[in-house]
Amino acid sequence: MTQIEKLLYTAKTHTTGGREGASRSSDGHLDVKLSRPGTADSGTNPEQLFAAGWSACFEGAMGLAARKRKITLPADLAIDAEVDLGTTDGAYLLQARLNVSLPGVERELAQALVDEAHQTCPYSKATRGNIDVEIKLV
């Protein structure tokens, strides 16, 4: 396992009540009510938070790949992240899909940016080999 040489940031949250509770960051920027997936309760769930975090991080990794090539990503770049929660043999599992839209970018270049981002994004690294992941250029 690769170790961190230079620490850039530590996210700190305090969560109470699990999936039916609340979570707040130490700086107060995040303050959310939590609810179980698929319920009508107000609040978000951990899978939605994971999807939002991963897609935002992935877009940042794509920006890094674009800057290396001295190109600008389109303003209407979008990533639709889907994180599934399921069970197999009674054990809970996740699987995920990232559908990346790069309008106006030649397909071969767009695919290269997506591929490089998937190699450098910390969320992609954390999930690699641990859950089923599909990254698709749409």
Side-chain angles (χ1 to χ4, degrees), residues 19-82:
R19 287 181 173 271
E20 295 171 338
S23 189
R24 186 171 201 275
S25 63
S26 60
D27 63 8
H29 291 189
L30 176 73
D31 191 358
V32 295
K33 182 179 181 327
L34 300 171
S35 62
R36 292 187 181 277
T39 66
D41 296 341
S42 65
T44 188
N45 61 64
E47 291 72 28
Q48 290 171 328
L49 293 169
F50 186 69
W54 191 356
S55 57
C57 184
F58 198 89
E59 187 169 330
M62 290 179 62
L64 180 63
R67 285 189 297 281
K68 283 182 182 177
R69 291 169 173 78
K70 297 183 180 5
I71 61 172
T72 302
L73 293 173
D76 53 351
L77 177 157
I79 300 174
D80 293 316
E82 301 171 356

Side-chain angles (χ1 to χ4, degrees), residues 76-125:
D76 53 351
L77 177 157
I79 300 174
D80 293 316
E82 301 171 356
V83 174
D84 302 323
L85 172 66
T87 61
T88 298
D89 296 327
Y92 289 99
L93 300 169
L94 297 176
Q95 64 185 21
R97 291 166 303 287
L98 297 182
N99 298 301
V100 181
S101 173
L102 279 165
V105 178
E106 189 272 323
R107 187 156 186 88
E108 187 174 306
L109 174 58
Q111 188 64 58
L113 293 169
V114 166
D115 291 345
E116 185 172 334
H118 190 46
Q119 293 305 308
T120 60
C121 172
Y123 281 75
S124 292
K125 288 179 180 182

